Each structure stands twice: as structure tokens, then as C-alpha cells.
Amino acid sequence: MTTIELLPIQDVTACCSPVTTEAMTQESAEVLAKSLKAIADPARLRLISMVAAHEGAEACVCDLQEPLGLSQPTVSHHLKVLVDAGILHREKRGTWAYFSLVPGALESVAALLTSPAR
């Protein structure tokens, strides 16, 4: 039986304008900073890359520990941070959790950092 765990995903584009078009509010800066902080860790960047490059663009937690070279609790912590930030989606299948990129999540963060064409 497949169980899908849905967590609140924060769309950073819903609250924020690109940083180059107008001054950000404190609240907008905090929301964007949470997303940036989640991806600003080498292990988390590698996890994002590993999940995206894995067959079917999803990976079992069991496939991520060894290539990353970190302990299971550490990998689980990093994955939780990425899920909480809305970067990865978690789906429980039996005893294993599978992760995939949330469609558009990285693109929305990138869009807030780039200047629109003038």
C-alpha cells in the first residue's frame, strides 16, 4: 500500500518579488532565506542532484546514504529540511520513503534572484 505524505509547501514566488525589482519586506526576505538556506549546504545540493539524476527522477532513501557517505540519520535530516522547504516531495511506500523534486521549486527560487529583461 502506498501512502503519500503531503506537507505544506511554501511557494516563494507567491510572497516575493524578484530581489532586483523592488525592496523586499522582512517577511519576504525570511521566506526566501529559508529556501536558500535549505539548498545552501553541500550535502543538500548533492541530494537534490542525486534525486534529479536518479532513474525516474525519484530516489529511495535507501539509495542515497551510501553515495553521499553520511549516516542514515544525517541523510534523513537533510532530506527533511529539503521537504520542509518545498524543494523535495516525500512519498512513503511500505517501509521506504521515496523522494522527488517538487516541480518548479528550484526554478521559482532562481526566478527571484534574477533580473527581468529590461
Side-chain angles (χ1 to χ4, degrees):
M1 181 166 134
T2 301
T3 303
I4 297 175
E5 180 179 330
L6 297 176
L7 296 174
I9 295 175
Q10 192 141 34
D11 179 8
V12 293
T13 58
C15 76
C16 312
S17 299
V19 296
T20 57
T21 59
E22 62 185 58
M24 296 181 87
T25 66
Q26 179 67 29
E27 181 182 351
S28 294
E30 289 172 5
V31 170
L32 180 57
K34 180 181 178 183
S35 294
L36 293 174
K37 185 176 180 181
I39 61 174
D41 179 278
R44 293 185 200 134
L45 285 172
R46 289 193 62 211
L47 283 168
I48 292 168
S49 174
M50 291 164 65
V51 168
H54 206 270
E55 184 178 336
E58 71 172 5
C60 176
V61 67
C62 60
D63 296 327
L64 299 172
Q65 181 182 338
E66 186 177 324
L68 201 56
L70 297 174
S71 68
Q72 182 275 324
T74 301
V75 172
S76 291
H77 165 74
H78 287 305
L79 289 167
K80 181 182 183 324
V81 169
L82 291 167
V83 168
D84 290 348
I87 305 296
L88 292 181
H89 168 73
R90 179 182 187 269
E91 182 179 333
K92 183 92 167 147
R93 298 181 195 161
T95 59
W96 295 108
Y98 286 77
F99 295 86
S100 59
L101 284 174
V102 171
L106 294 176
E107 291 83 356
S108 68
V109 171
L112 293 173
L113 298 175
T114 57
S115 301
R118 294 183 192 232

